[in-house]
Every structure is written in C-alpha cells, then in structure tokens.
Amino acid sequence: MIARRPFAALLVLFLGLGLSAPIQAQESGPPSLVVLVRHAERAGPSADDPGLTAVGTERALALARLLQDAGITRIHASATRRARDTAAPLAEALGITIETYDPRRLGDFALELRDAPGRHLVVGHSNTTDELSELLGGESFGPVVEDWEYDRLYFLTPLPGGGVATVMIRFGPPATAP
C-alpha cells in the first residue's frame, strides 16, 4: 500500500499541470485531460458483440474507482458492448451519458477531441488506444497485446507552451500473458 502513495502524489501533480485557470475557463478551451483505456476483458470471441468477463467487470469497477474524483466531464466509447460496459460504472457514478465514436475514423475523432473542452475518458481497443495517444500528441508505449493486455491507462494533458505530457500506468487486476 505504501508504494501507491508516491504514485498518487505523482498523478496529482501530473493532473495539475497547466491547470491554473479556473474550471469555468476550461469550458471554452482545449481538453485539460484525456484518459485513454482499452476495454476490459471481453467474454470470448464467439459472440458477435461480447460483453465483459467477471474479471473485465472487476476491471471496469476499478477504473470507475480510480477516476471517480478526476473531474471527468465526458466519456467516449466505441459502439461495442465491451467498450460501453467498461465505461458504464464511471458514467453511472458521475451521471454522464456515454458518447460513441467510430474507431475506424480515429484521426477525425482525435481532431474533434483536441478541440473539445473538459476532461475526457476514451474507451477504445487494443489497436486504437496507443495510436490515439500519438494522434493527440502524446507518447506511444508500443502495441497493446491483443490477447491479454487490458491494464494500460494513459493520461494525457497539455503542457504550458505546447506539447502533451503522457503518463501510462497499469491498473486493476494484473494482466499477464496466458
């Protein structure tokens, strides 16, 4: 438990970068924070649009607990059930409607997101999360492993004077190769 406290302090410092203006002023400018995550563990590839496994549901709840006080103002998810189910606990806790986006039009979505004020959570897929980080000016942490890597969480925030600070952490139940 002690190891988490330095991380929490670092995350609070990171989330505060460039946010000296009042909350009201943020409503007219670019996003002050974008959080990117892949959907949680899906319930088998046999279904056309699978939901989450029990571990996936646990991860979605962990995501909601982690972000419930982060000031998220908008939640975006692809139209897949697994993405919407991952976003649902936080959306419900905050009373926010999940907005869908088309992951096949990631470049267009990145442009829209850059101009949208507030703090955003984006629930995507193994083949979109890292790419969206790059499209938003953030860092790449390499391809997400399709079969088992569900625990990456990216935090992107604009820096004063330009650029984007990016932090990637792992959250929820440990994700390991089968």
Side-chain angles (χ1 to χ4, degrees):
M1 189 66 110
I2 294 173
R4 291 184 186 198
R5 291 183 192 264
F7 165 73
L10 178 64
L11 188 57
V12 167
L13 175 64
F14 174 77
L15 294 176
L17 287 174
L19 302 179
S20 58
I23 297 278
Q24 295 82 1
Q26 292 177 11
E27 291 303 315
S28 63
S32 59
L33 175 68
V34 178
V35 180
L36 307 175
V37 68
R38 176 192 184 185
H39 62 77
E41 288 84 344
R42 67 176 177 265
S46 60
D48 286 340
D49 190 14
L52 301 178
T53 64
V55 173
T57 299
E58 183 181 339
R59 188 174 307 282
L61 292 170
L63 179 67
R65 284 190 301 275
L66 183 64
L67 296 178
Q68 69 186 356
D69 296 322
I72 300 294
T73 57
R74 294 179 69 185
I75 299 175
H76 313 269
S78 75
T80 63
R81 181 175 168 201
R82 59 194 176 272
R84 292 187 326 266
D85 287 354
T86 301
L90 182 62
E92 185 177 322
L94 299 178
I96 296 174
T97 300
I98 299 170
E99 302 172 44
T100 59
Y101 74 95
D102 185 348
R104 296 169 298 186
R105 300 186 50 146
L106 211 51
D108 292 338
F109 178 58
L111 291 174
E112 291 172 25
L113 202 53
R114 280 186 191 156
D115 294 332
R119 292 182 171 200
H120 302 258
L121 169 64
V122 179
V123 181
H125 299 272
S126 63
N127 63 342
T128 63
T129 303
D130 197 74
E131 181 182 352
L132 185 56
S133 178
E134 287 187 290
L135 289 170
L136 292 170
E139 289 181 53
S140 168
F141 294 92
V144 175
V145 180
E146 167 71 23
D147 292 340
W148 59 267
E149 197 173 18
Y150 296 94
D151 62 346
R152 287 190 193 186
L153 188 61
Y154 297 65
F155 293 86
L156 291 84
T157 190
L159 293 170
V164 174
T166 311
V167 171
M168 190 273 288
I169 65 165
R170 297 193 182 268
F171 77 103
T176 56

